[in-house]
Amino acid sequence: MGIVVYPGSFDPFTHGHLDIISRAAKIFDKVIVAVSVNSGKKPLFTIEERVAMITRECCHLENVEVGYFHGLLVDFVKEKNAQAIVRGLRAVSDFEYEFQMALTNRNLSPELETIFFVAQPMYSFLSSSIVKEIAGLGGDISGFVSKGVAEQLRIKYTNKKT
Ligand code: ADP
């Protein structure tokens, strides 16, 4: 049922992201995870680290591809011949921003749809920023990210302190 692009910062990749990708991969022929290079935030992980991290975490899903984009998302979507953008909705707090983005992207590219997946209740509080905050304070993040990502976070924060 077509190709979709799932864009985001993924800094770092969490169980919430994997849940959206796994569900989208069951419905669509191909899911292209697209790491955004120019989001305003200063990332903890480089683009290369995030692409490698997501590729590793999604290697069991055959129809998932990972890349990154500079500039406009709608241009990347066109270049990939995708028909829709996939986003996750956690709570009412996500809604306003997501609604604005979806309308803006529709304005830029009228035939492009944005499809929302509602977060699983168990992950609806989970965000990359919360994970970084807990990891930075030395807390247990094993319920939120994979072992591999947890280890990468541990290394980042250990190096930061020294
Ligand atoms: P961005 O900076 O573009 O919001 P994120 O990496 O934070 O990028 O999120 C990418 C997408 O994944 C967004 O649509 C976001 O709402 C969704 N998302 C993030 N965390 C979760 C989660 N725990 N459950 C479901 N969707 C999520």
Side-chain angles (χ1 to χ4, degrees):
M1 219 179 79
I3 303 172
V4 292
V5 170
Y6 176 45
S9 314
F10 308 107
D11 186 44
F13 189 76
T14 69
H15 287 337
H17 295 133
L18 183 60
D19 178 57
I20 300 290
I21 296 169
S22 314
R23 287 159 63 196
K26 282 189 196 148
I27 300 175
F28 301 104
D29 295 325
K30 196 201 253 183
V31 178
I32 303 172
V33 183
V35 182
S36 156
V37 172
N38 50 351
S39 74
K41 318 158 193 169
K42 183 165 175 351
L44 180 65
F45 290 97
T46 66
I47 283 289
E48 292 76 20
E49 284 171 330
R50 281 177 280 160
V51 169
M53 179 191 285
I54 304 168
T55 306
R56 185 190 70 217
E57 300 296 322
C58 294
C59 67
H60 59 292
L61 298 166
E62 276 175 10
N63 56 339
V64 173
E65 187 182 302
V66 187
Y68 63 88
F69 68 101
H70 299 271
L72 284 177
L73 173 62
V74 292
D75 292 337
F76 179 83
V77 173
K78 268 184 213 152
E79 191 188 299
K80 294 288 179 185
N81 283 317
Q83 294 81 42
I85 296 167
V86 159
R87 296 282 287 175
L89 270 186
R90 278 162 294 190
V92 183
S93 51
D94 275 344
F95 182 77
E96 198 166 330
Y97 174 72
E98 295 294 340
F99 190 66
Q100 192 181 16
M101 285 302 294
L103 289 183
T104 306
N105 285 328
R106 167 174 294 179
N107 221 287
L108 295 171
S109 181
E111 70 287 357
L112 188 63
E113 293 291 349
T114 302
I115 297 168
F116 292 101
F117 280 76
V118 171
Q120 296 233 38
M122 65 191 291
Y123 300 138
S124 62
F125 64 93
L126 177 55
S127 69
S128 297
S129 4
I130 290 274
V131 168
K132 280 184 280 195
E133 204 166 321
I134 300 172
L137 296 169
D140 178 14
I141 47 167
S142 58
F144 311 139
V145 298
S146 71
K147 278 200 177 110
V149 173
E151 179 59 13
Q152 282 178 280
L153 279 160
R154 196 189 59 74
I155 293 167
K156 279 273 175 199
Y157 285 111
T158 310
N159 291 343
K160 272 198 163 184
K161 274 178 214 146
T162 51

